[in-house]
Amino acid sequence: MSQLTKIGLIAGLLISSLSYSQESNTDLGQIHGNFQTDFQYYRPDSLIGAPDVPEQFLLNGFMNLNYTRGNFSAGVRFESYENALLGFDPRYKGTGIPYRYATYSADDWEITAGNFYEQFGSGLIFRAYEERGLGFDNAMDGIRARFRPAPGIKITGVIGQQRFYFDKGDGIVRGIDADWNLNESIESMKENKTKIILGGSFVSKFEADLDPRYNLPENVGSWAGRATISKGKWGLFAEGAYKINDPSTVNNYIFKDGHAMLVNLTYSRKGLGILLAAKRIDNMNYRSDRTATVNDLLINYLPALTKQHTYRLPALYPYATQPNGEMGIQTEITYTIPRGSRFGGKYGTQIAFNWSIAQSLDLQNINDTTDIYESGTDGYTSDFWSWGEERYFQDINLEITKKFNRKFKLIGTYIYEEYNRQVIEGKTGFVYMQAVILEAQYKLSRTKTLRFEAQGMFTDQDRGSWAMLLVEYSISPKWFFAVQDAWNYSNPDPNRQIHYYILSFGYTKGGTRFLANYGKQQEGIFCVGGVCRNVPASNGLSVTITSTF
């Protein structure tokens, strides 16, 4: 029996059961789910580097089907890649049911068997999650148990293997996490204005040592501790992590332990928000397969601490977290000039400033060799507080939002970036980029809106400078139409000073949305939260259909 036949049979039985339950007034539970398909028709274009796709037509699709009744829930996800869209790993191939689970919960505990997603703390030593736009999915396949033995205390345990496309990785991941809310647990603190939550995690992986060169650790353990403290307008989150030596392909098989630290300090009141964040990552690549690279079989998650730009041109140079080592700082200040003031006007003026930087560690070789990552050695030492000399990334941006009246709103953005292509992409060169964006929104009526974008990105490196214009017309809540053109007008190769046009159309009805784009997409990197994938150049028609039920 094929996978498609299986899921059809399951859906048919459940729907039939529900139909019967409605007729007999018997509670047999509920079915919910969602569906999405992305397909693209490709045309070769040698000028922009769009390859000739033999199939011409590629497709990614999935459907989640979830059943709940009382304390019990279960579900499956059907996925199809025929074949996978360009930019997605070709190991996503064919169709199947790679995700299925069953969960039973009572007052103080919950058990899940099968696939699940989970995160301990900020994810420094464990995060199982999905980012479909990146083609990333490291779902666990095993057992998860949650237990609340007393008020304010939550314990989570997991064991299993990680998803590896339509298979599973060989390594076994085990972990336990505990959260303790002091204000809920301690009677004298229940009314205290200072809120404190403490947490700790332990995770280990088992992977057999089959390496003929080195005696590799088969059980690699990691520990993490965290604290969340808040009082009034202030909030503090801090987490530190440690991992024993874990030689792998990514760190060239050095026998050095790993460390990570993340601190977030926030202040918020009416009209003002401030975020100060810092991190230090040192040899924290952590995977259930020591030979895996790129985004395969990652056990942990290392945040980027950089602003994720959504405008098309600045998004060409996003930052990817460097697991072998980096130090970073991010500052974000959001301020609203009060209404009725000289610069606030009738509706107030919002100002958002963001600065982030990522730098190398200060490394000292301890092996008396020229290679600080010489395989089979202890690698290096590093001063915890010292910054290295190499700049990985810097982003300074300012955004001002001004609403002039009920119909017209203007958003202006300035961005300056320093982007190390060698570190982030493995390509030679350093990019210094400035961008200016002006976005205008005008409401023609209660349901009709016009939106304009004018973007300019200026650099003497890489592909040179760009200009872009976008016009979008929407009829709420169902329709939108857009046309945009990104022009690489100063590309060093005159033959590649190309217009990348895209025509877009969308329609929404209820829980279903249809989106179509036709045109040329430039090559670049697409990132979410510091996890990235390469997006190749393409030319053609793409369609996305999503639905929830």
Side-chain angles (χ1 to χ4, degrees):
M1 184 183 295
S2 70
Q3 297 279 19
L4 184 58
T5 303
K6 289 179 183 178
I7 197 170
L9 180 60
I10 294 170
L13 289 172
L14 290 174
I15 292 171
S16 298
S17 299
L18 290 181
S19 299
Y20 170 78
S21 71
Q22 291 176 352
E23 295 174 0
S24 63
N25 294 322
T26 302
D27 179 17
L28 294 182
Q30 295 182 328
I31 294 178
H32 300 284
N34 64 307
F35 164 83
Q36 178 173 324
T37 182
D38 301 276
F39 59 85
Q40 187 161 356
Y41 169 72
Y42 294 90
R43 298 176 56 195
D45 190 328
S46 59
L47 282 180
I48 68 171
D52 184 9
V53 177
E55 305 95 326
Q56 294 186 328
F57 182 94
L58 300 177
L59 177 142
N60 294 0
F62 74 92
M63 183 176 75
N64 285 305
L65 193 64
N66 299 301
Y67 169 76
T68 59
R69 182 176 184 270
N71 294 339
F72 176 78
S73 62
V76 295
R77 181 167 68 229
F78 170 82
E79 296 182 16
S80 179
Y81 304 89
E82 300 288 1
N83 285 325
L85 299 177
L86 291 184
F88 287 80
D89 196 295
R91 285 173 288 185
Y92 282 115
K93 184 176 176 64
T95 61
I97 304 177
Y99 191 93
R100 72 281 181 272
Y101 74 95
T103 298
Y104 185 81
S105 60
D107 292 338
D108 300 323
W109 57 273
E110 176 188 281
I111 297 290
T112 297
N115 296 108
F116 57 88
Y117 299 109
E118 186 59 68
Q119 178 172 321
F120 294 169
S122 61
L124 292 181
I125 63 171
F126 181 72
R127 186 187 187 193
Y129 71 109
E130 176 194 28
E131 191 58 63
R132 184 159 296 277
L134 297 176
F136 178 87
D137 190 344
N138 67 341
M140 291 282 286
D141 188 4
I143 300 291
R144 178 184 64 194
R146 291 173 173 164
F147 181 47
R148 297 180 182 270
I153 298 177
K154 182 178 73 173
I155 299 173
T156 303
V158 300
I159 185 169
Q161 296 169 282
Q162 294 182 288
R163 177 179 178 178
F164 187 59
Y165 303 100
F166 276 110
D167 203 346
K168 293 184 290 186
D170 291 331
I172 301 173
V173 180
R174 299 76 55 98
I176 187 168
D177 179 77
D179 261 323
W180 182 22
N181 188 320
L182 275 64
N183 300 84
E184 295 180 5
S185 297
I186 302 173
E187 189 68 30
S188 61
M189 293 187 64
K190 287 187 176 181
E191 303 301 324
N192 199 315
K193 293 184 179 180
T194 300
K195 309 298 182 182
I196 301 175
I197 302 175
L198 303 179
S201 310
F202 173 77
V203 176
S204 76
K205 68 159 183 176
F206 172 79
E207 181 185 3
D209 177 16
L210 304 177
D211 194 294
R213 303 166 298 168
Y214 307 119
N215 182 21
L216 301 175
E218 293 188 325
N219 290 282
V220 176
S222 59
W223 299 261
R226 61 186 181 271
T228 303
I229 303 172
S230 62
K231 183 178 181 180
K233 302 178 178 65
W234 293 91
L236 174 68
F237 173 82
E239 183 170 14
Y242 170 82
K243 175 175 66 73
I244 72 167
N245 68 90
D246 184 18
S248 67
T249 297
V250 172
N251 69 8
N252 199 33
Y253 288 88
I254 62 171
F255 287 73
K256 184 190 181 303
D257 55 1
H259 305 82
M261 178 273 294
L262 175 66
V263 178
N264 291 329
L265 177 66
T266 60
Y267 175 83
S268 178
R269 64 171 175 79
K270 184 178 180 180
L272 177 65
I274 299 175
L275 165 69
L276 299 174
K279 69 171 179 177
R280 186 181 191 276
I281 306 296
D282 184 0
N283 196 35
M284 279 300 290
N285 175 68
Y286 198 23
R287 304 170 190 257
S288 58
D289 185 337
R290 60 178 67 92
T291 65
T293 58
V294 195
N295 294 330
D296 291 344
L297 297 171
L298 286 164
I299 297 174
N300 62 340
Y301 170 74
L302 304 173
L305 288 194
T306 57
K307 184 178 178 66
Q308 300 296 307
H309 293 293
T310 56
Y311 290 111
R312 183 177 177 183
L313 296 185
L316 290 174
Y317 297 108
Y319 184 64
T321 305
Q322 303 302 305
N324 279 347
E326 65 174 38
M327 295 186 75
I329 292 177
Q330 182 180 26
T331 300
E332 186 170 280
I333 302 172
T334 304
Y335 176 67
T336 300
I337 301 175
R339 297 181 181 184
S341 64
R342 180 177 179 182
F343 296 104
K346 183 178 179 180
Y347 298 94
T349 301
Q350 296 178 340
I351 301 175
F353 171 79
N354 184 283
W355 170 67
S356 57
I357 187 170
Q359 198 92 356
S360 65
L361 301 179
D362 184 14
L363 308 180
Q364 296 86 40
N365 197 320
I366 60 175
N367 301 303
D368 296 324
T369 65
T370 57
D371 184 4
I372 208 163
Y373 284 98
E374 183 177 356
S375 62
T377 71
D378 291 335
Y380 59 86
T381 61
S382 60
D383 187 333
F384 186 87
W385 300 107
S386 296
W387 291 60
E389 297 181 356
E390 187 174 12
R391 175 71 49 81
Y392 291 167
F393 183 82
Q394 181 170 223
D395 181 0
I396 302 171
N397 57 84
L398 178 68
E399 181 178 283
I400 301 175
T401 302
K402 175 68 174 177
K403 185 176 180 181
F404 292 88
N405 51 50
R406 289 183 298 174
K407 293 185 175 182
F408 183 59
K409 181 169 74 172
L410 201 62
I411 303 172
T413 304
Y414 170 78
I415 300 169
Y416 170 78
E417 277 191 12
E418 298 175 2
Y419 181 88
N420 190 327
R421 296 187 73 209
Q422 180 64 52
V423 170
I424 301 170
E425 300 182 36
K427 301 177 181 179
T428 59
F430 210 103
V431 176
Y432 299 90
M433 178 271 285
Q434 297 185 76
V436 178
I437 300 111
L438 191 64
E439 177 182 348
Q441 300 176 17
Y442 186 79
K443 294 184 79 64
L444 299 171
S445 67
R446 186 176 60 86
T447 60
K448 299 175 183 178
T449 303
L450 271 176
R451 189 173 72 89
F452 302 88
E453 281 183 24
Q455 301 181 33
M457 188 176 72
F458 314 104
T459 178
D460 294 327
Q461 294 82 41
D462 193 20
R463 288 173 283 180
S465 299
W466 293 72
M468 178 188 152
L469 289 175
L470 176 146
V471 179
E472 179 184 288
Y473 175 63
S474 60
I475 306 173
S476 180
K478 292 186 176 182
W479 303 89
F480 93 89
F481 308 87
V483 57
Q484 59 179 291
D485 178 23
W487 179 25
N488 190 193
Y489 65 89
S490 74
N491 193 301
D493 181 354
N495 293 322
R496 295 185 180 275
Q497 294 177 1
I498 300 168
H499 290 268
Y500 294 82
Y501 59 86
I502 296 178
L503 304 175
S504 302
F505 155 74
Y507 175 75
T508 301
K509 183 176 182 180
T512 301
R513 185 170 189 262
F514 175 90
L515 173 65
N517 293 296
Y518 180 80
K520 300 182 180 183
Q521 175 64 51
Q522 67 268 40
E523 178 187 9
I525 296 180
F526 176 54
C527 295
V528 177
V531 179
C532 304
R533 71 175 175 93
N534 289 313
V535 178
S538 63
N539 184 7
L541 173 69
S542 65
V543 175
T544 297
I545 302 172
T546 61
S547 183
T548 59
F549 54 90

